[in-house]
Amino acid sequence: MTAPVRFPRFFVTSPSPCPYLPGKTERKVFTELKGPNADELNDALGRIGFRRSQTVAYRPSCIDCSACISVRVAAAEFAPSATQRKNLKRNSDLVVTACKPWSTPEQFELLQRYLAARHPGGGMATMDEMDFADMVEHTPVSTFVIEYREPGIDGQPGKLVGACLTDRQGDGLSMIYSFYEPDHAERQGLGNFIILDHIFHAARIGLPYVYLGYWVEGSARMQYKVRYRPLERLGREGWERFDPDEQARAIDRAATARGADRRIADDTGKDGLAAAQAQYRHI
């Protein structure tokens, strides 16, 4: 006789300031991932909008807001835009390696450069090497660190320019956290390239989806996720495909927000840009 499967216990956090929308508060519901069925539980929760952080699966459970929307790319149907094709060509020489979830000093140094440039003062800015090791190594599910390196010389590994902590779920790849060289003059769009690589890899190995986490309308730093088509979002009736016209308008809004960030940088310089983007620093 097999032992009964125990239903997970769920908990709710106390309200705290929302990292995405100014003036809002957030609350999360979460449960622990552990035991021999952790992969199966993570798969099931991922399909209803949960995300993993170390040994915890969580999702927003805000009382008066539903702005955080889970999104995933339909990998087999994905067709890159002209801009995405240029990105793929520009970075096609990168060497991609799926590594066991074991942190390295090289990864941590890259993360520090990324956080200092893209999220100064954010929630992860004070992360030390031990914290990073916990983020990478404390996983009860099938997890990899996908490394992106420039071509090596004389048989030596090339420079690490990008990495992504990725879970392999039953129906797709879940991108937990990615980071990359923030000021590489010859490799613009590394963050987008990492997503594109995950989409094509999922299609090659027969996984239907790439989970991108939460899309938040009105949060400029989250708008990049709508650029990948076809995109599905999780609603009250389950997963549904973005209407093409609606997604096109969302992409236009994302481009406008990105242009505004660039104009701020031109007008105020780095210090002014950091101050103007303070409301997004936790994203």
Side-chain angles (χ1 to χ4, degrees), residues 130-201:
M130 186 64 71
D131 296 326
F132 176 65
D134 287 344
M135 183 178 82
V136 173
E137 298 171 15
H138 284 188
T139 172
V141 301
S142 300
T143 303
F144 302 89
V145 177
I146 313 299
E147 291 190 340
Y148 297 83
R149 293 182 179 274
E150 294 184 328
I153 300 175
D154 297 330
Q156 296 299 312
K159 179 183 177 181
L160 181 69
V161 296
C164 186
L165 184 64
T166 303
D167 288 352
R168 175 166 177 164
Q169 299 180 179
D171 65 345
L173 301 176
S174 179
M175 299 180 66
I176 303 301
Y177 193 80
S178 63
F179 51 97
Y180 48 89
E181 198 66 64
D183 298 312
H184 200 308
E186 299 176 359
R187 294 193 182 277
Q188 299 300 311
L190 278 169
N192 289 321
F193 176 78
I194 291 172
I195 296 175
L196 292 169
D197 176 71
H198 276 68
I199 294 170
F200 284 110
H201 181 64

Side-chain angles (χ1 to χ4, degrees), residues 94-275:
L94 291 180
V95 179
V96 184
T97 307
C99 307
K100 292 181 178 180
W102 189 258
S103 64
T104 69
E106 188 180 21
Q107 293 168 5
F108 179 63
E109 290 167 6
L110 176 61
L111 175 67
Q112 286 185 308
R113 293 194 297 273
Y114 170 78
L115 292 174
R118 297 301 176 93
H119 305 289
M124 296 176 65
T126 58
M127 177 180 285
D128 60 23
E129 199 160 0
M130 186 64 71
D131 296 326
F132 176 65
D134 287 344
M135 183 178 82
V136 173
E137 298 171 15
H138 284 188
T139 172
V141 301
S142 300
T143 303
F144 302 89
V145 177
I146 313 299
E147 291 190 340
Y148 297 83
R149 293 182 179 274
E150 294 184 328
I153 300 175
D154 297 330
Q156 296 299 312
K159 179 183 177 181
L160 181 69
V161 296
C164 186
L165 184 64
T166 303
D167 288 352
R168 175 166 177 164
Q169 299 180 179
D171 65 345
L173 301 176
S174 179
M175 299 180 66
I176 303 301
Y177 193 80
S178 63
F179 51 97
Y180 48 89
E181 198 66 64
D183 298 312
H184 200 308
E186 299 176 359
R187 294 193 182 277
Q188 299 300 311
L190 278 169
N192 289 321
F193 176 78
I194 291 172
I195 296 175
L196 292 169
D197 176 71
H198 276 68
I199 294 170
F200 284 110
H201 181 64
R204 282 195 300 271
I205 62 177
L207 293 175
Y209 302 112
V210 172
Y211 288 84
L212 299 182
Y214 301 116
W215 171 65
V216 183
E217 180 74 60
S219 176
R221 287 294 185 92
M222 302 295 279
Q223 297 309 300
Y224 70 91
K225 297 179 182 182
V226 300
R227 298 175 189 154
Y228 302 90
R229 294 185 275 195
L231 192 69
E232 297 182 358
R233 58 184 173 186
L234 183 61
R236 293 183 179 276
E237 304 300 322
W239 290 95
E240 59 183 11
R241 188 71 55 93
F242 259 90
D243 175 78
D245 291 338
E246 180 187 0
Q247 188 170 356
R249 290 192 294 270
I251 291 172
D252 288 342
R253 290 194 296 272
T256 300
R258 187 178 182 186
D261 281 350
R262 287 176 174 172
R263 287 193 295 274
I264 292 170
D266 291 340
D267 292 342
T268 63
K270 288 186 176 180
D271 292 340
L273 178 61

